[in-house]
Amino acid sequence: MAHRLRPVGQEFASVAPVRLVFEREITAAPPAVFDALARDVGGWTAWFRVLTLARPLDGGAGREIRLLGAARFRETILAAEEPDVYAYRVDVTNVPGARAMVEEWRLEPAGTGTRVRWTMAVDGVAPFRLAMKAGRLGLAAGFRDAMTSLDRRLAG
């Protein structure tokens, strides 16, 4: 059953009770990475394997996301500052126990490539927060895989 989360701003990425931060350098330049994140929302399923659906909503102001295992999210874009940051808030989800969620992607030049930093910031009931912390290794592996796939896609 879907439920509405607390509306938080981009600053939540810095102050959330649970913050999971992952970094990886890829060879693609920041503008290409930003385009893949912010402009080609539908393309996310080609490089982020846990996504089964990604589509823009409301003229690009929001997104609908579905994950393997049936998790669903309706999101609002909080920032799309080319080529440095892309952030969104989850407004509605069927994930039990979630109260607030923001994801932020920060892109920094790294030689001719990009250092990608993904922050998943969440709040929820105690079991949800514990599950998010326990899932850190799996999320890290998924992020590494996604960045490898994205880099290959952008190089092609």
Side-chain angles (χ1 to χ4, degrees):
M1 179 172 178
H3 61 281
R4 183 161 294 283
L5 276 59
R6 185 172 77 242
V8 292
Q10 187 179 349
E11 72 285 347
F12 189 72
S14 299
V15 300
V18 177
R19 295 178 64 250
L20 305 173
V21 182
F22 309 97
E23 278 192 20
R24 180 97 190 240
E25 285 188 19
I26 61 176
T27 59
V33 178
F34 182 86
D35 283 348
L37 292 172
R39 294 195 178 99
D40 186 17
V41 172
W44 281 52
T45 58
W47 56 268
F48 214 135
R49 297 179 207 272
V50 298
L51 274 71
T52 61
L53 173 79
R55 68 181 177 126
L57 298 173
D58 305 323
R63 306 177 347 149
E64 178 184 5
I65 301 294
R66 293 183 188 174
L67 304 180
L68 291 172
R72 296 177 181 206
F73 306 90
R74 183 175 173 101
E75 304 168 338
T76 296
I77 307 303
L78 298 174
E81 301 165 12
E82 186 176 1
D84 305 314
V85 64
Y86 183 63
Y88 42 88
R89 169 188 67 226
V90 175
D91 295 314
V92 177
T93 185
N94 64 345
V95 176
R99 290 188 181 149
M101 298 177 73
V102 166
E103 293 183 38
E104 179 183 73
W105 297 79
R106 292 224 170 244
L107 311 175
E108 297 176 9
T112 58
T114 305
R115 177 175 296 110
V116 180
R117 184 173 58 239
W118 175 43
T119 301
M120 179 179 281
V122 301
D123 189 15
V125 298
F128 173 79
R129 292 191 314 264
L130 183 62
M132 290 302 298
K133 290 176 186 177
R136 176 184 289 278
L137 291 178
L139 288 166
F143 173 72
R144 281 190 309 272
D145 179 63
M147 290 302 94
T148 298
S149 294
L150 177 60
D151 207 21
R152 285 185 187 136
R153 180 178 171 91
L154 295 176

